[in-house]
Each structure stands twice: as structure tokens, then as C-alpha cells.
Amino acid sequence: MAKLQLIKPREKRPREKWRNFTDWFNWIIMETEVYDFRYPVKGAYVWRPYGMRIRRLVESYVRLVHDETGHQEVLFPVFIPYEFFSKESEHIRGFENEVFWVSKGGTGEERLVLRPTSETAMMPMFKLWIKDHTDLPFKVYQIVSVFRAETKATRPMIRLREISMFKEAHTAHANREDAERQIKEAMEIYKKIFDYLSIPYLISQRPEWDKFAGAVYTIAFDTVMPDGKTMQIGTVHYLGTNFSRVFDVRYLTPSGDWEYVHTTSYGISERVIAAMIAVHGDDKGLALPPNVAPIQVVIVPIMYKGTEEAIMREVKSITEELTNAGIRVKVDDRTDKTPGWKYNYWEMMGVPLRIEIGPKDVENRQVVLARRDTMEKFVAPREGIVDTVKELLNVINDNMRSMAWEFLRSMTTKATTVDEARKRLDSGGVVEVPWSGDNDCGMAIQQLLDADALGVPMDEDASKDISGLRDLACSDKQANYWLRIARRY
Amino acid sequence: MAKLQLIKPREKRPREKWRNFTDWFNWIIMETEVYDFRYPVKGAYVWRPYGMRIRRLVESYVRLVHDETGHQEVLFPVFIPYEFFSKESEHIRGFENEVFWVSKGGTGEERLVLRPTSETAMMPMFKLWIKDHTDLPFKVYQIVSVFRAETKATRPMIRLREISMFKEAHTAHANREDAERQIKEAMEIYKKIFDYLSIPYLISQRPEWDKFAGAVYTIAFDTVMPDGKTMQIGTVHYLGTNFSRVFDVRYLTPSGDWEYVHTTSYGISERVIAAMIAVHGDDKGLALPPNVAPIQVVIVPIMYKGTEEAIMREVKSITEELTNAGIRVKVDDRTDKTPGWKYNYWEMMGVPLRIEIGPKDVENRQVVLARRDTMEKFVAPREGIVDTVKELLNVINDNMRSMAWEFLRSMTTKATTVDEARKRLDSGGVVEVPWSGDNDCGMAIQQLLDADALGVPMDEDASKDISGLRDLACSDKQANYWLRIARRY
């Protein structure tokens, strides 16, 4: 990297309001015109242009990683006939209370539901498309709206009746082994997406009583929000032959037998954007990772009488160079706002890097660079500005990722007594407690701690140092795993 | 362009089955795996991967031209409260019989409709967002699913209950003049999109009795399908203050008054893809314009024993060069299919250009190029292949556009007597007949000819050579315009 001369050191970013998460979140998404929660239907909200620009960048990357791994994009209808929706008994039991019904002109002549997820829409078509073993593995995905008639309090971008950015992948495989290889691929895909957005995560196998309706098992990604509650940001389900049996989706094996396919499904939603906003922000506003910031660099000219022309010439030439290098640049040359006002504004909007150019800078062939993530300021040479900016944007992505992981790690602890665990939960975060693996004991732990089980760690040794410990609720039982407990969104 | 040596002349493309449009269309979209109409809900269909790849390219261009002209992308909920949906009296009258209702868990506790179009979803938010004249013009768009409970026979990609690629733009303006300037901009945007897809069009002002429910007037784009029926592929509506009055959307003028905004809306849908498939295809299958072909160039190696290595080296180097130049290339090196089989297959898939490379070609530093649009074959030098291909792809875009326009023009005629007009309509196409401008007479013309009025031409002088002619239905009335009449999809 070019020599940067530090002129303003790293600042402690104020994070008081940020910790009062709901108020902060609702303030910042409205104030930055990312989102509007004043739409007159419960749990249904509006994405505004700045939010859509973030969304498009996130969606592009989500498409890219799915395409790269051989998933093919499809698009299925919103309507699912009830007859199909209700075929798999666990599935319908899990979803029937939160499904929206559709009828034409209020006559009720049709029995259709709005998809809450698309397993039962896809399976009848899988049956038509999958013939023999050469068609497997079969991997498709779509990015669509899904609908859940949430009875709990809805929450902008987090708990929705219309989830409008549901990426759901559905795959079919010859056997359990290949399906479980797919589960691993799905986990890698999600890690890649969260890493790209600098979002830290815990990976846990959800307990039996909290798996997806119709799944054999569910693996979930959770992140820790500023207030210490966790939020589920992605799930991966192994569905076994539960769906293929009821929809009769079979394939011809090389030896001439007909066998049921094993299926998986995995989903993420706009919650990834909510998480990204949540984990990186501060009291000043958004802080967007350069990877998906609609504006990566804002240039603020500092005008003094008589120097306008020279400054704007420099601004123009830098803008051109950066734009040609594929960097998303915005020049704020409004004349009715002061530079200070603009600094605050673009910090609130989360722009990762600001370039200030005044008369002295033009004269000295330099620019001033201000980082959103650390609030540091540097002087950098005008020469080689493209490389400097590119490198800095990468550094910012990485630094935001590390800071976020540091926060998540600081919010994750172990506890071996109920008191200790309660204390930890009350101060926020995730606590891992000893568990036998017995479902009744697991549910008893939830009750004891008045919190939810996220499940058993998949991203670390779930049995490390567990020997000799007793189940937190069932003291007659030996502990076999750590069980993650948290208060959840 | 590099010297091309013609080795197979332009072929007459067989278009017998193509004219039997419905059968041809249903065959080709299934056979090429663009679309699947076996989904078990009336009027709801599935986009398959090849179709989605076309769709993405079309959507990207649609986004680009809207972004370039200052439209900002937003995303509104699918649900509209009935209370809002029914505010504008013409609008609700036009849509109420084809709206889907939603209820939670079948209890009917909520009064929500699934949007058939979003004027009434947007207006309550426009009211919150638009404050004064500096906020105008205000231009947004979204690409979403909309729902219409069609009672007529539904048709894959053409008459849908879920229109899944509805691009709707909504704009607000200070006065009629600025709104009508926007109408012109919208027309230019649509021309640009249709030109990009090489789709020819007629632009007509829809008659009063066929305008959009709630509009002051509607301008529509129609194309002519292979069987001579027309299909509406885009509409542009001037809504006046019809919606702003009932939703009370006003702005503060520079002189301090509160005035109602004038609004417009304009939409296109997946019908543009249906039209593109329809107008360019033939009995062999699809013919996709290079601009949106997922595969622009397919390379077929012609292997002979002992030459495989040299050929594949050449194929690889050409693929690399073309890919680096941003051309979408696919190599078909399957060993279980003959070259002839591959030619037919990729012609069916609509790939605009094929490169064949055999041992003689490697030896002579040349390639064989085969055009899908004319079925011509050429020998071209290996050297400069990137430029040759780029130029050819442009030539193909342009030639497909001209051929399609030629067809459309051949299907558009004038007639001044009922007999003549009927004869023309029976052989397919659009006939322009003299009309006074009186609505009753216009509807009488429709009845006389057993066909629909598309309206008065906007793309040519609607009164040219009309003087002295009489209204086709009301012979006591002088004709003032040509009125376009057709049988429609």
C-alpha cells in the first residue's frame, strides 16, 4: 500500500444507541431511506431506492455463488394447491397455522395457499424432471417472496409476513451420502456469503424440537445482534426421503431399480441485510462493507474562492480513474451544504471511504482519506490513488469482519451452573451449557433459563472438555455436548 | 468485417408449424426447457433454467434503461388493503372481478388483495415521500409478480394469473405538461427495449373504452404474432390527478400553494419474452437475438481420430479469446452426439452463431461460421475471430430486427370497406379503417368486423389521406382518423 500519513487516529465509535437495538435499527433504516415501515399492512414493508441498491449487490453475490456451484435458477409460482401443500404430514403440521389462503373474488372457489416455502411446489415438478441417476444431483434455487402469517409482533426486515428476498435452494440426490455432501456445500456457500458481508455466525444443529417441519435435521446459522439477542440468518435442511416418498419422486438406478431421491433445502432472506446493518452500525448510522456498499467512495471537494476550478478538475480526474477501475464513486458537490454536514451525512449512509480534496491537496498532489470503520484520517499521494483505494477497501472489508467476529466471540461463553448461565444471558449473548442430548432435558434447560436452545455447535468440537460434567437440567445424566442457549429474535 | 467466404447460401427458414402459433409456442418453450406449463395451478407456470437465463439478461437491460433515465428501483408489498385498493372508483370497477383475495388461515379476518398493479399501494407512500416541488419529478419502478384472476383461458407466458415479471414504473409530476413529457420518455424507453430484443411494434392510443382503469388515456405497444393476431406488449398511462386526489398526494409549489401531483404509470411483462420467442422463431425452434441469448456462440469441434488434440487446443484458445471479450460461449464437446445432432440441437435452442472446427480448419487457420438467422455458412480466418464474431452478432441483431419489422409491416394494411377489412382480418394482421372518432361508431366498427380496436396510430400520421373518407360504421360521419383493428391475444 502507498504510504499513508495518519492525521487523525482511530476513534472509539460511539455505540450507546446502537445497543438499544430496536430503536436504533428502526431509526437508521428510515433515516437512510433503506426501508419504510409505514406501509399500511402488518408485517409488510417497502424497500426504498438506497436499500434496493444494497439488495441488488447482495443478490448478485448470492446468485454468483449459487451459479458457481452448479445451482440453476428457476422461478416457481406463488400459489400452491392445498392438496399438495398438505401431503407431507410434519410439514403441514408445522406451517398450517401461519399460512395465507387465497381465493378468487372472495368466493373461496379455489383451495390455494401462498407459499411459505416451496418444497411442495417443487416436488411435483421434480417428479416430472428427474428420470434416472444421470439427472442427479439436481440443484435449483430461486429468489422470491414467501408468506407467513406471523402471529407474533412483526418487525421491519426481521419478522415479516411477506419475506421478499427469500433465496431457497432445493436439491435432489441419489442417496443420503450425496445429500449430506450437499449439506456441507450449502454450509460453505453460506459461510462465503456471510464472510462477503462481514457477518459473523455460529453454526448449530437445531435441536429435534426446533427443526424445519418435514426435515430429518436442520443446521442453522445465527448471529448476535447488538443487544445480545441472536438472530437466525440461514438454515440448511436434510429432508431425507420425507418429501420424495409422498410425492413419489424416484429415479432409475444404474442397476435398474427405482429409488426415492434424498432431498435438501436451504434458505436465507433479507435478514442477511438486517444482520449486516445491525452488526456493523454505530450511533452515527450505517457502516456498509465495501463489497456491497452502493457507494464505496464519496468525494467531497472543499471549495475556497478562486480554487474551485482546480479542485473540480482534480475531483473529476480522480472520479474517472476510480470509476474506470470499477469502484462505485459518488461526488458530493452540493453548494448548499458545508463539508462538515456532508461528512456526517455520508457517515450516516455508511459509505466506507471518503476522499476530501481542498486547495492544499491539489497543490501538494495529495488527497485526504477518511475511513468509516475506524474513523481514521490519512493523507495519501494523489499518484496511485486507484491502488490505494482498492487496497483500503479490502482492508476495510477485512477489518469490519474482524471487529464483528470479535464482538460475536465476546458474546459467547460457557457456563456450567444455572446461576452463571442466567447471569450471562441477562447481560446478553450466547451461553453454552452442558447437555446430555436428551430432548426432555434440553427443553427443561430452555425453561430453567427462560431462553431458547440454538442447538449443538457444528463449528467447534461440541464435546470439548464436557467429560465429567452433568446435564444442566437433568443432574442425574452425564453431559455429552455443549448446548447453545440464547434469547432470540 | 473480415473476409467471409460464403459456403452455404441463405436458406428459406421453414415456418409452417410456426404459423400454427399456439402449438408451436407450447412445443418450443417446453422442448427448450425455457418454461413448463404442467404446474398444477391454472394460469401459473414454471420458469426453467434456460428461460431464467434469458429472463435475467432481459431484466438487466430493462433495469439499465430505467436506471439511466433516473428511475429508482423500489420494492412494495404484494398485499394491498382493500380500503386503499378501492379508493379510485374507475380503478376498482375495472379490477374488482379479477382480483385475488387473501385471508389468514381461512378465517377471512383481513381484507387484503394481491396486487394486480401497484398504483394504490404506492400512492399512500408517495403521500409520505413527496413534500414540495423539489421532490418532483418522482420516478420509481419495480419488477414483481402481480396477480389477475383471469376468467378467460390462460396461456403459458401470455395470459397468466401470476404475471411474474411485471415491470411497473410509477411517476409523479408537478403538472400535466411534465407528466406528458414523461409519457414520451416512457415510450422512448419501451422502443429502446423492444429494439434491443428486435421486436417490432405498433404504437396506438387505446380507445376510450379500452383504456387502463383509472387512466385519462392509455398508449399501448402491440406486436403481430405469427398467426396474425396481435399481442399487447407494453402500456403507458397518463393518470392525471385521478389517483393523487383520492390519496391526497399534494406538493408545495414555489409560490406556496398545495397542488395535486399528476401521475403516470407504465408496464411491461414476460410477454416481451413471449413476443421475442414468437416473432423470431421458425419450425426448427428458437432464434434468440444475440443481445439476450444466454449462449451467443456455440462451438462444435468436428473430431477425427488423431486430430482431437489439435482441435481441442484450437477450441480452447478461441473460447478463451471470445470469453475474454465478454461473449457468452459454450463448447459442445459431448462425445455421444454427432456434429449433425448438435447443429440441430443448438439451432432449436436459438443460439445465434455456431463455430465449427474440424481438422481442415485447424490446418488452414480458419473456422466455419453458421448463422441461425439466415442459416448461411461461411469460412472465416482464425485470425481476428473476436472482431468477426462481434460484428456478426451485431449484424444478426440488426437483421433479425429488420426481418421482424418486415413481417409486421406486411401484416398491416388499410381498408376502406367492411368487406375488404374483413378479408384482411381473416387472413391475419392489422387493418386500419376510417373512423370519425366517435366512441359509439368505434364500438360499432369492432362489432362489424368481429375484432378489437387497438386505437389510433401514434407512430404515424393518424389522419394521413383520411379526408373525404367516411366512418366505416357510421357512414353519415366524416372520418378523422385511421383506427387500427385486429384480433388479439
Side-chain angles (χ1 to χ4, degrees):
Chain A
M1 167 129 41
K3 280 149 280 163
L4 299 183
Q5 184 199 336
L6 187 70
I7 55 175
K8 196 174 132 217
R10 192 176 186 112
E11 236 177 47
K12 191 125 185 94
R13 296 161 67 199
R15 284 190 149 180
E16 293 312 309
K17 293 175 201 153
W18 178 77
R19 273 172 226 283
N20 184 355
F21 176 65
T22 299
D23 287 352
W24 177 87
F25 188 75
N26 290 349
W27 161 71
I28 197 58
I29 58 178
M30 283 290 280
E31 196 67 20
T32 54
E33 301 186 357
V34 160
Y35 207 72
D36 201 314
F37 48 72
R38 293 172 294 177
Y39 189 77
V41 173
K42 174 179 159 79
Y45 307 96
V46 177
W47 283 86
R48 299 190 69 179
Y50 194 61
M52 278 308 285
R53 290 168 68 194
I54 298 172
R55 219 181 120 134
R56 272 205 217 169
L57 290 160
V58 173
E59 286 183 5
S60 290
Y61 190 73
V62 168
R63 285 202 164 88
L64 180 74
V65 292
H66 283 80
D67 293 347
E68 274 179 359
T69 46
H71 295 73
Q72 295 196 289
E73 191 172 4
V74 293
L75 186 63
F76 273 70
V78 167
F79 298 142
I80 302 179
Y82 181 70
E83 182 201 340
F84 289 85
F85 184 66
S86 57
K87 262 190 199 297
E88 208 288 321
S89 58
E90 292 290 327
H91 193 63
I92 180 66
R93 208 176 308 149
F95 279 105
E96 72 186 341
N97 289 325
E98 54 176 60
V99 90
F100 284 104
W101 291 82
V102 178
S103 57
K104 190 192 152 291
T107 62
E109 70 182 36
E110 318 233 5
R111 295 267 290 170
L112 300 174
V113 303
L114 294 182
R115 64 176 162 228
T117 174
S118 299
E119 283 76 6
T120 57
M122 296 216 174
M123 292 310 278
M125 301 309 290
F126 276 32
K127 182 178 167 59
L128 297 171
W129 295 337
I130 295 171
K131 303 256 151 72
D132 70 25
H133 63 99
T134 60
D135 295 323
L136 302 175
F138 186 86
K139 297 152 72 175
V140 296
Y141 75 99
Q142 61 181 6
I143 304 180
V144 295
S145 280
V146 296
F147 301 88
R148 297 182 184 176
E150 293 283 354
T151 46
K152 293 192 218 171
T154 52
R155 230 175 227 286
M157 222 182 288
I158 291 175
R159 190 166 294 280
L160 305 168
R161 296 188 130 194
E162 177 178 2
I163 299 165
S164 70
M165 197 186 125
F166 193 57
K167 188 288 304 169
E168 49 178 332
H170 297 267
T171 71
H173 306 267
N175 49 46
R176 179 166 185 146
E177 189 190 346
D178 196 60
E180 295 203 299
R181 185 205 45 71
Q182 190 60 38
I183 296 289
K184 292 207 178 67
E185 181 181 283
M187 288 167 68
E188 289 309 312
I189 286 173
Y190 286 177
K191 283 188 201 171
K192 212 169 158 183
I193 293 170
F194 298 135
D195 287 348
Y196 191 74
L197 304 177
S198 295
I199 300 171
Y201 44 81
L202 297 169
I203 312 177
S204 315
Q205 179 163 340
R206 286 281 183 263
E208 194 60 23
W209 63 88
D210 193 33
K211 66 184 187 187
F212 177 75
V216 176
Y217 61 79
T218 291
I219 292 167
F221 288 71
D222 298 283
T223 195
V224 179
M225 301 295 262
D227 59 1
K229 282 173 147 174
T230 62
M231 182 167 76
Q232 174 174 299
I233 51 175
T235 51
V236 181
H237 316 295
Y238 172 55
L239 307 173
T241 55
N242 293 348
F243 287 87
S244 63
R245 278 173 195 277
V246 292
F247 286 94
D248 190 34
V249 184
R250 290 182 294 169
Y251 72 100
L252 195 60
T253 66
S255 52
D257 299 318
W258 287 96
E259 284 190 7
Y260 291 112
V261 299
H262 288 241
T263 65
T264 82
S265 67
Y266 30 105
I268 53 173
S269 72
E270 56 262 63
R271 275 191 169 190
V272 302
I273 298 179
M276 181 178 75
I277 290 172
V279 301
H280 302 307
D282 61 23
D283 295 355
K284 287 173 178 288
L286 298 177
L288 297 173
N291 281 336
V292 294
I295 302 167
Q296 295 172 307
V297 176
V298 63
I299 303 182
V300 178
I302 323 281
M303 306 291 217
Y304 285 91
K305 250 213 168 99
T307 61
E308 293 93 337
E309 213 179 304
I311 288 175
M312 284 316 292
R313 200 163 41 230
E314 186 76 327
V315 166
K316 215 181 136 188
S317 96
I318 292 179
T319 305
E320 239 175 63
E321 280 180 42
L322 293 176
T323 305
N324 290 342
I327 295 163
R328 297 183 289 272
V329 187
K330 158 104 191 160
V331 175
D332 187 353
D333 55 3
R334 286 178 282 184
T335 51
D336 59 338
K337 306 284 179 198
T338 64
W341 188 95
K342 293 177 187 176
Y343 298 171
N344 287 330
Y345 179 76
W346 294 111
E347 282 166 6
M348 179 183 79
M349 297 300 278
V351 175
L353 194 62
R354 180 174 71 238
I355 300 182
E356 306 166 6
I357 302 174
K360 209 183 69 184
D361 302 308
V362 176
E363 210 179 291
N364 298 342
R365 300 282 299 149
Q366 67 183 32
V367 296
V368 171
L369 299 171
R371 279 174 66 164
R372 176 67 181 91
D373 60 332
T374 57
M375 303 300 287
E376 289 167 307
K377 273 192 178 195
F378 303 92
V379 170
R382 164 70 182 83
E383 178 128 349
I385 186 69
V386 169
D387 288 338
T388 307
V389 165
K390 274 191 174 172
E391 284 173 60
L392 261 182
L393 293 177
N394 282 334
V395 167
I396 295 171
N397 275 317
D398 293 344
N399 180 55
M400 289 178 73
R401 192 178 308 119
S402 327
M403 291 195 302
W405 273 100
E406 200 179 299
F407 174 73
L408 179 129
R409 289 207 186 90
S410 77
M411 299 298 273
T412 315
T413 51
K414 285 189 165 58
T416 52
T417 68
V418 172
D419 275 359
E420 201 186 342
R422 275 198 191 131
K423 223 161 67 188
R424 293 285 162 84
L425 286 170
D426 287 343
S427 66
V430 180
V431 61
E432 296 178 353
V433 299
W435 179 41
S436 56
D438 178 282
N439 287 337
D440 288 336
C441 301
M443 286 188 275
I445 293 175
Q446 289 191 141
Q447 283 227 314
L448 265 178
L449 300 180
D450 188 24
D452 296 318
L454 304 180
V456 165
M458 297 283 293
D459 42 10
E460 57 182 44
D461 179 355
S463 307
K464 200 187 171 202
D465 302 328
I466 203 77
S467 81
L469 297 176
R470 301 257 135 206
D471 186 296
L472 196 74
C474 306
S475 54
D476 58 326
K477 289 204 160 79
Q478 194 182 297
N480 294 304
Y481 313 99
W482 294 100
L483 180 65
R484 285 181 173 146
I485 305 283
R487 304 223 159 92
R488 302 207 275 179
Y489 274 98
Chain B
M1 168 130 36
K3 279 148 285 160
L4 300 183
Q5 184 200 334
L6 188 70
I7 54 173
K8 194 173 135 220
R10 192 177 188 114
E11 235 175 51
K12 192 127 186 92
R13 298 162 65 200
R15 284 190 150 181
E16 293 311 310
K17 293 174 202 154
W18 178 75
R19 271 171 228 284
N20 184 355
F21 177 65
T22 300
D23 288 350
W24 176 88
F25 188 76
N26 290 350
W27 162 70
I28 197 59
I29 57 178
M30 283 290 282
E31 196 66 21
T32 54
E33 303 187 355
V34 161
Y35 208 71
D36 200 315
F37 48 72
R38 295 172 293 177
Y39 189 78
V41 173
K42 177 181 155 79
Y45 307 96
V46 176
W47 283 85
R48 298 190 70 180
Y50 194 60
M52 279 308 287
R53 289 169 69 193
I54 299 172
R55 220 181 118 135
R56 273 204 215 168
L57 290 161
V58 173
E59 285 183 4
S60 290
Y61 189 73
V62 168
R63 286 203 163 88
L64 179 75
V65 292
H66 282 82
D67 293 347
E68 274 179 1
T69 46
H71 295 73
Q72 295 195 292
E73 191 172 3
V74 294
L75 186 63
F76 274 69
V78 167
F79 298 141
I80 304 179
Y82 182 71
E83 180 200 341
F84 288 86
F85 184 66
S86 58
K87 261 191 200 296
E88 208 286 324
S89 58
E90 293 287 327
H91 193 66
I92 180 66
R93 210 177 306 149
F95 280 104
E96 71 186 342
N97 288 324
E98 54 176 61
V99 91
F100 284 104
W101 292 82
V102 179
S103 56
K104 189 190 152 294
T107 61
E109 71 184 33
E110 317 234 5
R111 296 268 290 169
L112 300 174
V113 302
L114 294 182
R115 66 179 160 224
T117 174
S118 299
E119 283 77 6
T120 57
M122 297 219 174
M123 293 309 279
M125 301 309 291
F126 276 32
K127 183 177 165 62
L128 297 171
W129 295 337
I130 295 170
K131 304 259 151 72
D132 70 27
H133 62 98
T134 61
D135 296 321
L136 302 176
F138 186 85
K139 296 152 71 174
V140 296
Y141 75 99
Q142 61 182 6
I143 303 180
V144 295
S145 280
V146 298
F147 301 87
R148 296 181 187 177
E150 292 283 354
T151 47
K152 292 193 220 171
T154 51
R155 231 175 227 285
M157 223 185 283
I158 292 176
R159 188 166 297 280
L160 305 168
R161 293 188 133 194
E162 177 178 1
I163 299 166
S164 70
M165 197 188 127
F166 193 57
K167 188 288 305 168
E168 50 178 331
H170 296 267
T171 71
H173 306 268
N175 50 45
R176 176 164 189 148
E177 190 190 345
D178 196 60
E180 295 202 297
R181 184 203 48 69
Q182 190 60 38
I183 296 290
K184 291 207 180 68
E185 181 180 282
M187 289 167 66
E188 289 308 313
I189 286 173
Y190 285 178
K191 284 188 201 172
K192 215 170 155 181
I193 292 170
F194 298 134
D195 289 348
Y196 190 74
L197 305 177
S198 294
I199 301 171
Y201 44 82
L202 297 168
I203 313 176
S204 315
Q205 178 163 341
R206 284 280 184 265
E208 192 61 23
W209 62 88
D210 192 32
K211 65 186 189 185
F212 176 77
V216 176
Y217 61 79
T218 290
I219 293 166
F221 288 71
D222 298 285
T223 196
V224 178
M225 301 296 261
D227 59 0
K229 281 168 139 179
T230 62
M231 183 168 75
Q232 173 173 300
I233 50 174
T235 51
V236 181
H237 316 294
Y238 171 56
L239 306 172
T241 55
N242 293 347
F243 287 87
S244 63
R245 277 173 197 276
V246 292
F247 285 94
D248 192 33
V249 184
R250 290 182 295 168
Y251 72 100
L252 195 60
T253 66
S255 52
D257 299 318
W258 287 95
E259 285 189 7
Y260 291 112
V261 297
H262 289 242
T263 64
T264 81
S265 66
Y266 31 104
I268 55 174
S269 72
E270 56 262 62
R271 277 191 168 191
V272 303
I273 297 178
M276 181 179 76
I277 289 172
V279 303
H280 301 307
D282 60 24
D283 295 355
K284 286 172 179 289
L286 296 178
L288 298 173
N291 281 335
V292 294
I295 302 167
Q296 295 172 308
V297 176
V298 63
I299 302 183
V300 179
I302 323 280
M303 305 291 217
Y304 285 91
K305 252 215 163 98
T307 60
E308 293 94 336
E309 211 179 306
I311 289 174
M312 286 314 295
R313 199 163 43 231
E314 186 76 328
V315 166
K316 213 182 138 191
S317 98
I318 293 180
T319 305
E320 238 176 67
E321 280 180 41
L322 295 176
T323 306
N324 290 341
I327 295 164
R328 297 184 287 274
V329 188
K330 158 104 190 158
V331 175
D332 187 352
D333 54 4
R334 284 178 282 183
T335 52
D336 59 337
K337 306 283 178 195
T338 64
W341 188 95
K342 293 178 186 175
Y343 299 171
N344 287 329
Y345 179 76
W346 294 111
E347 282 166 6
M348 180 183 79
M349 298 300 278
V351 175
L353 195 62
R354 180 175 72 240
I355 300 183
E356 306 165 8
I357 302 175
K360 209 184 69 184
D361 302 310
V362 175
E363 207 180 296
N364 298 340
R365 301 282 299 149
Q366 66 183 31
V367 296
V368 172
L369 299 172
R371 279 173 65 166
R372 176 69 181 92
D373 60 332
T374 57
M375 303 299 288
E376 289 167 307
K377 272 193 176 191
F378 303 91
V379 170
R382 164 70 183 83
E383 177 128 353
I385 186 70
V386 169
D387 288 338
T388 307
V389 166
K390 273 192 176 170
E391 284 173 59
L392 262 181
L393 292 177
N394 282 334
V395 167
I396 295 171
N397 275 318
D398 292 346
N399 180 55
M400 291 179 72
R401 192 178 306 119
S402 323
M403 290 194 303
W405 273 100
E406 202 178 296
F407 173 75
L408 180 130
R409 288 204 187 94
S410 77
M411 299 297 274
T412 314
T413 52
K414 284 190 166 62
T416 53
T417 69
V418 172
D419 276 359
E420 202 187 341
R422 274 195 192 135
K423 223 160 67 187
R424 291 287 161 83
L425 285 170
D426 286 344
S427 65
V430 179
V431 62
E432 296 179 353
V433 299
W435 178 42
S436 57
D438 179 282
N439 287 336
D440 288 338
C441 301
M443 286 189 274
I445 292 173
Q446 289 192 142
Q447 284 229 312
L448 264 178
L449 300 179
D450 188 24
D452 295 319
L454 303 180
V456 164
M458 298 284 292
D459 41 12
E460 58 182 40
D461 179 356
S463 307
K464 198 185 173 207
D465 301 329
I466 201 80
S467 83
L469 298 176
R470 301 258 134 203
D471 186 297
L472 196 75
C474 305
S475 56
D476 59 323
K477 288 205 162 82
Q478 197 182 295
N480 293 306
Y481 313 99
W482 293 100
L483 181 65
R484 284 181 175 147
I485 305 283
R487 304 223 159 91
R488 301 206 275 181
Y489 275 99

